[in-house]
Amino acid sequence: MTAGVRVCALDELPEVGAARAEIDGRVVAIVRAEDGSVHCIDDECTHGKVSLAEGEVEGCQIECWLHGSTFDLRTGAPSGLPATVPVVVHQVEVVDGDVHVALSDQPARTA
């Protein structure tokens, strides 16, 4: 992984769920999936200006709480309408109990 920045301790995240963070001015959602894996995506739903960190996590999917769009945490691909544009996925590495993120150089996406 490209050198990432420490965002939080792993034990600061919910067992299953998301937390919002800001890295170099970019707002992201740090998400722990049901299988314990940790992911990082842009925090804004591509369908509307809504925080994904406030959504429900099921499996490796996160659901936008407002309109019900779901996104794959591994790829960013929308897996449920009304969203049709993927969210940007960032690289995550857990080192010694700390979550490190390397931001993608892709710009934020919106519909």
Side-chain angles (χ1 to χ4, degrees):
M1 175 174 120
T2 310
V5 298
R6 181 193 179 278
V7 178
C8 64
L10 182 61
D11 62 10
E12 292 177 298
L13 294 175
E15 267 189 51
V16 175
R20 196 174 166 159
E22 186 174 327
I23 305 169
D24 296 333
R26 192 165 188 161
V27 181
V28 296
I30 310 296
V31 187
R32 193 180 317 192
E34 286 183 345
D35 66 1
S37 59
V38 179
H39 306 270
C40 181
I41 59 173
D42 278 355
D43 185 45
E44 190 172 285
C45 178
T46 58
H47 172 256
K49 296 193 180 296
V50 177
S51 171
L52 290 173
E54 297 175 23
E56 295 293 320
V57 175
E58 187 173 317
C60 267
Q61 306 276 326
I62 192 164
E63 180 181 36
C64 175
W65 63 269
L66 186 58
H67 296 114
S69 294
T70 54
F71 297 90
D72 187 303
L73 294 169
R74 299 162 293 205
T75 65
S79 51
L81 294 173
T84 58
V85 176
V87 293
V88 177
V89 174
H90 307 283
Q91 287 187 311
V92 175
E93 188 173 29
V94 178
V95 179
D96 296 327
D98 289 328
V99 178
H100 296 258
V101 173
L103 292 176
S104 168
D105 55 6
Q106 294 180 344
R109 300 177 186 153
T110 56

